[in-house]
Amino acid sequence: PRSDCIAAEQLCLSDSTCNATYRTLENCALAKTRFFPLDHDSRVRCLNAELGLGNSSLLHCRCHRRMKRQEHCLRVFWTVHSSMTDGYFNLETSPYENPANEEHWKTDYNRLAALLSGKDCSQLAGDATNPCLKATHVCNLSKKCVRLRTDYASICTKGAGSEDMCDRRRCHRGLRNFFEKVPEDFTKRILFCPCQDELCGERRRKTIVPDCSFQYNTKPNCLWLLDSCLEDHICKSRLADFQQNCQPADMSPDGCSQHNYAACLQAYMGMIGTPMTPNYVSNSSVEVSLWCTCESSGNQKEKCDQILGMFESNKCL
């Protein structure tokens, strides 16, 4: 099995040859994050260092979505694979372990849902017509779900609608905490609940508190959004995961190159709480989008359209 990148890093640092190669790669990655243009000799040195890792466990290590010290793990991954981000935004490989190989926890969602349906409460009367409301009520019966949902809601609604007051960074971190730490039985039902009317759709769209986490006063250019994402290890990793698992394929009968919708939805959820947070575009639609525009993109219009199209017209998603 692949080791995680923190363990692989420790192993490498204990070996003098691997240690020296890794330190070279750290300098290469640092130059990239600071946008220092590398001269020809430096580029060759960085590429040779990456190739020099050979069969090192560092080259094949991965991270887990719910692991402790996730940012450290991702930093190690991108240090070793920094050449993959050259030139274009197709990141090729996800730093995350295949979801099938990750440990899945048993949840008590069905037991709580059954408990809920047995209650005769007038406040629950709307559950039958509003699946999003029902999913929220079930979440409220789980200590972890209600605690983490309340946490991010209180952060994201403080000063929402006023860009000076809303702490977007903290709001995003709270959202990531919720989607990473609460079992998917709860989070998927809250985010992807099927709606028949606008009241339900509004609750679904407001799951991520759009005034703070999603919308700016004016729509930024999608290329600016991408640049913000690539500067952040978590966002860059989630984008790579999304591109790998939600890659559309025109020739494929299901329109999806990986044929794994569960992995695609999980990767989509991973984008929430990053600079490229997506959301539903309205209360009466299941269409999703980024909050950005491709107007005034100049000669990069095609690239900008492709970024926006990953969410707006992705058959796989």
Side-chain angles (χ1 to χ4, degrees):
R2 288 170 167 159
S3 64
D4 77 66
C5 292
I6 296 175
E9 181 191 44
Q10 290 171 344
L11 201 62
C12 176
L13 295 180
S14 66
D15 176 90
S16 57
T17 307
C18 188
N19 190 326
T21 304
Y22 184 63
R23 296 304 181 196
T24 301
L25 285 171
E26 278 189 318
N27 291 331
C28 298
L30 190 62
K32 284 201 160 195
T33 57
R34 291 179 178 173
F35 298 104
F36 291 147
L38 296 174
D39 58 36
H40 176 72
D41 289 348
S42 299
R43 289 175 68 85
V44 170
R45 187 165 63 251
C46 292
L47 200 56
N48 285 341
E50 197 170 317
L51 294 171
L53 288 176
N55 290 322
S56 161
S57 57
L58 266 176
L59 209 56
H60 307 288
C61 72
R62 288 291 184 271
C63 302
H64 296 283
R65 291 164 184 81
R66 299 172 184 267
M67 73 186 293
K68 290 180 180 177
R69 301 175 70 199
Q70 183 183 163
E71 287 189 57
H72 181 166
C73 185
L74 296 171
R75 180 179 61 76
V76 175
F77 178 89
W78 291 115
T79 295
V80 176
H81 296 282
S82 65
S83 68
M84 280 172 26
T85 56
D86 263 357
Y88 201 44
F89 73 93
N90 285 328
L91 301 173
E92 297 177 26
T93 304
S94 170
Y96 290 110
E97 187 61 83
N98 186 318
N101 299 337
E102 291 193 355
E103 193 176 315
H104 285 281
W105 44 29
K106 291 179 181 176
T107 72
D108 53 0
Y109 184 93
N110 289 334
R111 181 182 65 80
L112 293 177
L115 189 68
L116 184 71
S117 63
K119 288 187 177 184
D120 183 25
C121 299
S122 58
Q123 68 180 58
L124 306 182
D127 282 359
T129 55
N130 191 335
C132 294
L133 191 61
K134 180 179 180 180
T136 304
H137 283 146
V138 177
C139 173
N140 290 342
L141 295 177
S142 161
K143 285 183 181 177
K144 177 178 261 190
C145 188
V146 72
R147 175 173 60 83
L148 290 171
R149 186 171 170 273
T150 305
D151 282 353
Y152 86 73
S154 62
I155 296 165
C156 298
T157 51
K158 189 178 180 182
S162 165
E163 213 164 329
D164 294 332
M165 295 287 289
C166 162
D167 191 335
R168 181 171 278 114
R169 192 179 289 271
R170 281 189 67 218
C171 174
H172 280 168
R173 189 160 59 240
L175 276 165
R176 290 201 308 272
N177 259 343
F178 176 72
F179 284 104
E180 284 175 18
K181 294 180 179 176
V182 174
E184 283 181 20
D185 263 4
F186 293 89
T187 56
K188 274 187 175 176
R189 281 176 165 89
I190 288 174
L191 189 67
F192 302 125
C193 39
C195 290
Q196 301 296 322
D197 59 56
E198 290 202 14
L199 197 66
C200 176
E202 182 180 15
R203 175 172 280 275
R204 180 173 61 189
R205 192 178 66 84
K206 288 190 172 176
T207 295
I208 68 157
V209 198
D211 283 350
C212 186
S213 70
F214 178 64
Q215 295 170 193
Y216 295 79
N217 287 338
T218 55
K219 283 189 177 184
N221 187 282
C222 299
L223 296 169
W224 177 83
L225 222 56
L226 175 68
D227 287 342
S228 302
C229 184
L230 295 180
E231 288 172 18
D232 178 281
H233 280 127
I234 285 186
C235 187
K236 180 164 67 171
S237 302
R238 303 294 172 83
L239 180 59
D241 195 52
F242 179 76
Q243 287 184 316
Q244 178 176 297
N245 289 300
C246 298
Q247 190 66 46
D250 291 336
M251 302 301 288
S252 174
D254 63 359
C256 204
S257 64
Q258 297 286 327
H259 314 295
N260 189 339
Y261 293 119
C264 178
L265 289 181
Q266 185 182 52
Y268 171 85
M269 288 164 70
M271 297 300 301
I272 295 169
T274 72
M276 289 182 74
T277 294
N279 197 12
Y280 296 98
V281 296
S282 75
N283 298 341
S284 56
S285 167
V286 289
E287 290 178 32
V288 296
S289 180
L290 298 173
W291 183 261
C292 64
T293 176
C294 285
E295 291 175 16
S296 309
S297 296
N299 60 3
Q300 290 191 296
K301 177 81 164 59
E302 189 178 342
K303 177 181 175 180
C304 185
D305 287 338
Q306 196 169 352
I307 296 163
L308 197 51
M310 286 194 300
F311 295 88
E312 284 191 346
S313 54
N314 186 332
K315 287 181 182 177
C316 183
L317 177 63

